[in-house]
Amino acid sequence: MLIAAERINSSRKRVAQAIEAQDGEFIRNEARIQTEAGADYIDVNAGAFVGNELECLKWVVEMVQAATKLPLSIDSPDPAVIEGVLPLLKRPPMINSITLEPARLNGILPLAAAHGAKVIGLCQSEEIMAESTDDKVRLAGQLVESVTRAGVPLNNLYIDPLVYPLATHPQAAMAAMEAIERIMKEYAGVHTICGLTNISYGLPERRLINRTFLAAAISRGLDAVILDPTDAPLFAALKAGLAVAARDDYSMDYIAAFRAGRLG
Amino acid sequence: MSDILQQIRDAIIRRKRGEIQGLVETAVKEGIDPNGIIDNGLIAAMDVVGQQFSDSEIFVPEMLVSALTMKMGLDVVKPLLKSDNARPRGTIMMATVKGDMHDIGKNIVIMMLEGAGFQVVDLGVDLTVEKLMEQIESNKPDLVGLSALLTTTMPEMRRAVQILHERGLNEKVKVMVGGAPVSASFAEEIGADGYGADAAEAVEVARRLISDL
C-alpha cells in the first residue's frame, strides 16, 4: 500500500502561513512527522499562491528534501510548475496529477517519461468528471492508453477514480469502489489511488466516514492512498483494512503496528 | 394561517417525502390559492431549512432531502398556476467559472434558489466569460451567480465582472459570487454585487439584489 502524505498543502492555513513567512522549520517538521508515521511519498502543494506557485513550491521542495529521504509527490495541475521543480528533485517523484485534458496530458507525460516519475491520473476529461462506474472505467482506459503511448510504464500510473461526496451523491462510495475493482482487473499492472476527504463532505464525524471508506476501498483492491499518516485512527483503519482484505500475510504488519503502539 | 399550510411546512422541514403530495393536494382541495401554497407553505418551509443549515443544525443531505420534498410539492401545484398568475421572482443564471469543474456547491445553491421560487438557469461548469456574456445577452437574467472552488480560477470571476462593466450590462444584471476560497472582501474587491458564504446566504443575497433592481 503506497501512502502519499498530504499535510504539506497550501490550502491548509498553517502551511500557507509558513510558506509566506518562509518558516522552514515548520515545513521540515511536517515532512519529518509524516516520514516517521509511515509515508512513502511526501505530497507538496503551493497552489494557493497564484502567480507565484513555482517559486513557492521550489522553496517547499528544498525544505522537505532537507528533512527526509522520501521522494516527493508534486501536486500541481500546471506543466510549467512541474517542469520547473523537476531538476531540484533527488529522487523520481510522483506527479499529482494529470487528467485527459490535452494541455495537461501533453505537457506533463513527456516530463514523467523522461524523469521516470509515477503519475496520478484523474478520471476527468475536458467534457466530464466521471461520476458513474462505467464512466470512471471508460476514462481509466483512455488514461492507460495515453500514458502507455507517451512511454510511461503502466506500473507507474495511479488512477484516481474521483470520489464524490456521499452527502450529495448517495452512490458515490460504491461507484468509486466498483470502478477500483474493475480497473485493477481490466488493466493488470496499473494502480489505483484516491483521497479520502471528499467522500465525507457535508456529513458529521467526517473522519469516521473517511476511514470506513478507506477500509472498504482496500477490500476492492485500492493499492495507494493520499492521506495524513499522523491521523492515528485512520492509520489503524488502514492496517486493519489490509489484514481483513488478505493483503497482510498472517497479519504481520497489523501486529507490528500494534507493537509500535499505533492501533489504539 | 391555515392548519394545512402548517402541515406542509412541517413535512418539508421534517423531510417527509411520502406525505408532501397528499398534503398539497388537500390544500388545493381546501381552495387555498396556489400562490399562497407556494409562498406560505413551500417557500416558507425552505426559509426555515436554509436557516437551520446556516445555524449548523442540519447537514447537507438533510437540506437536500428537504429541497426534494419541496420540489415534489411544487410539482403538484405548478400546473394549477395560470400563466398570468405565475409570478416568477426573477431569473438567475448559475455557473462554475472556466478551469473549474466543481459543481457540488453550485448545485446546492441552485436547489435552494429554486426552493425560494427563483427561475434558475444552470450553465454548468468550466464556463468561459465569453460564453457567459452570450448567455446573458440572449437570456437576460436578473442575476448571475458564479462559483469557484479553486484559488486558481477565482481570477475568472474578476474578468467576468470587468467585462460586464465594460459592456455596460452591470446596471441590468447583478453578479453574486461564492465558493470555498471566495470571501466577502474578494467579492467587494472585484466589484461583484454580492457574496454568499453558504446556500442560505446566497438566497438572501439574491432576494436583496433582485428587489433592488
Side-chain angles (χ1 to χ4, degrees):
Chain A
M1 193 78 188
L2 181 148
I3 298 176
E6 70 185 6
R7 290 174 62 94
I8 305 178
N9 190 309
S10 59
S11 69
R12 284 178 63 209
K13 218 180 196 167
R14 192 61 196 79
V15 171
Q17 284 169 354
I19 294 174
E20 214 151 50
Q22 302 271 289
D23 179 355
E25 183 44 36
F26 180 85
I27 300 293
R28 286 192 297 272
N29 187 55
E30 290 288 294
R32 272 194 297 268
I33 60 175
Q34 295 186 106
T35 302
E36 283 160 16
D40 297 299
Y41 281 75
I42 305 289
D43 190 79
V44 288
N45 169 301
F49 295 90
V50 181
N52 201 18
E53 183 184 359
L54 177 57
E55 286 315 303
C56 292
L57 197 58
K58 278 181 169 173
W59 178 79
V60 172
V61 162
E62 276 181 41
M63 293 307 113
V64 172
Q65 289 194 136
T68 181
K69 288 201 163 57
L70 291 180
L72 306 191
S73 155
I74 308 301
D75 187 351
S76 172
D78 186 346
V81 169
I82 290 164
E83 189 169 16
V85 165
L86 279 170
L88 301 180
L89 301 177
K90 295 183 183 159
R91 279 156 286 272
M94 176 174 249
I95 294 173
N96 179 13
S97 57
I98 61 164
T99 63
L100 286 162
E101 293 161 273
R104 272 167 91 173
L105 215 54
N106 301 333
I108 293 175
L109 283 181
L111 298 172
H115 287 81
K118 297 183 190 304
V119 180
I120 296 178
L122 309 179
C123 291
Q124 174 179 339
S125 68
E126 274 190 310
E127 292 81 35
I128 66 164
M129 291 175 75
E131 229 175 276
S132 69
T133 302
D134 284 346
D135 279 346
K136 290 176 199 290
V137 176
R138 183 170 58 81
L139 295 196
Q142 294 175 18
L143 282 166
V144 166
E145 210 184 292
S146 305
V147 164
T148 316
R149 208 185 313 122
V152 175
L154 196 56
N155 188 41
N156 274 353
L157 174 61
Y158 289 73
I159 295 177
D160 183 334
L162 297 191
V163 180
Y164 280 78
L166 280 178
T168 53
H169 297 71
Q171 298 298 321
M174 291 309 292
M177 293 187 328
E178 277 162 20
I180 287 165
E181 188 166 332
R182 280 178 52 189
I183 291 165
M184 297 299 270
K185 275 203 185 115
E186 287 176 31
Y187 304 103
V190 83
H191 304 279
T192 44
I193 191 166
C194 64
L196 301 173
T197 48
N198 261 11
I199 190 76
S200 60
Y201 163 81
L203 291 175
E205 298 293 349
R206 292 187 63 171
R207 294 167 67 209
L208 173 59
I209 296 284
N210 298 348
R211 60 182 183 260
T212 303
F213 173 66
L214 173 61
I218 287 172
S219 77
R220 300 296 195 100
L222 184 78
D223 66 350
V225 63
I226 303 165
L227 53 66
D228 174 3
T230 69
D231 177 336
L234 183 61
F235 189 84
L238 172 79
K239 292 296 176 189
L242 287 166
V244 168
R247 288 165 56 186
D248 174 7
D249 212 14
Y250 291 96
S251 300
M252 287 294 144
D253 281 347
Y254 179 79
I255 295 167
F258 169 74
R259 295 244 161 78
R262 302 216 42 205
L263 297 186
Chain B
M1 185 95 22
S2 104
D3 181 52
I4 187 70
L5 288 178
Q6 180 64 50
Q7 288 178 45
I8 287 172
R9 291 195 297 273
D10 279 352
I12 291 168
I13 293 164
R14 291 185 298 111
R15 306 174 287 280
K16 301 290 183 196
R17 278 181 288 179
E19 293 172 15
I20 188 70
Q21 281 167 319
L23 289 169
V24 173
E25 279 160 12
T26 306
V28 171
K29 272 187 211 129
E30 283 185 12
I32 302 175
D33 170 48
N35 276 315
I37 297 175
I38 292 174
D39 288 346
N40 303 320
L42 307 177
I43 292 176
M46 286 310 290
D47 282 346
V48 175
V49 170
Q51 192 57 48
Q52 287 179 336
F53 180 70
S54 281
D55 295 342
S56 304
E57 285 171 23
I58 58 170
F59 294 96
V60 169
E62 296 180 300
M63 181 168 73
L64 292 186
V65 176
S66 277
L68 290 175
T69 310
M70 187 273 188
K71 264 200 168 161
M72 290 170 74
L74 197 59
D75 286 343
V76 175
V77 81
K78 243 188 182 164
L80 306 174
L81 292 172
K82 295 191 190 87
S83 55
D84 56 331
N85 207 3
R87 295 169 301 166
R89 258 148 259 267
T91 303
I92 303 175
M93 264 182 193
M94 294 287 297
T96 304
V97 296
K98 166 108 188 83
D100 209 323
M101 305 283 278
H102 295 88
D103 64 356
I104 288 160
K106 172 189 63 94
N107 292 345
I108 292 172
V109 172
I110 288 174
M111 278 196 122
M112 293 304 284
L113 289 171
E114 286 174 343
F118 293 106
Q119 170 98 20
V120 182
V121 182
D122 182 3
L123 299 179
V125 297
D126 194 21
L127 188 81
T128 62
V129 174
E130 291 69 30
K131 281 223 180 86
L132 175 65
M133 293 303 147
E134 274 171 35
Q135 289 288 337
I136 288 175
E137 275 162 9
S138 56
N139 286 325
K140 310 219 180 314
D142 301 295
L143 174 63
V144 172
L146 297 177
S147 169
L149 187 76
L150 304 173
T151 46
T152 47
T153 56
M154 285 165 62
E156 284 293 311
M157 294 178 161
R158 187 192 300 273
R159 266 193 69 214
V161 174
Q162 245 169 23
I163 292 178
L164 216 55
H165 276 79
E166 282 166 21
R167 302 204 182 168
L169 289 167
N170 56 307
E171 289 299 317
K172 285 184 215 140
V173 186
K174 299 290 172 193
V175 180
M176 64 176 180
V177 294
V182 181
S183 64
S185 60
F186 175 78
E188 197 178 338
E189 184 199 318
I190 65 169
D193 301 290
Y195 159 76
D198 60 37
E201 216 179 286
V203 169
E204 274 172 46
V205 170
R207 282 190 178 134
R208 176 166 55 76
L209 291 175
I210 286 180
S211 70
D212 283 354
L213 277 172

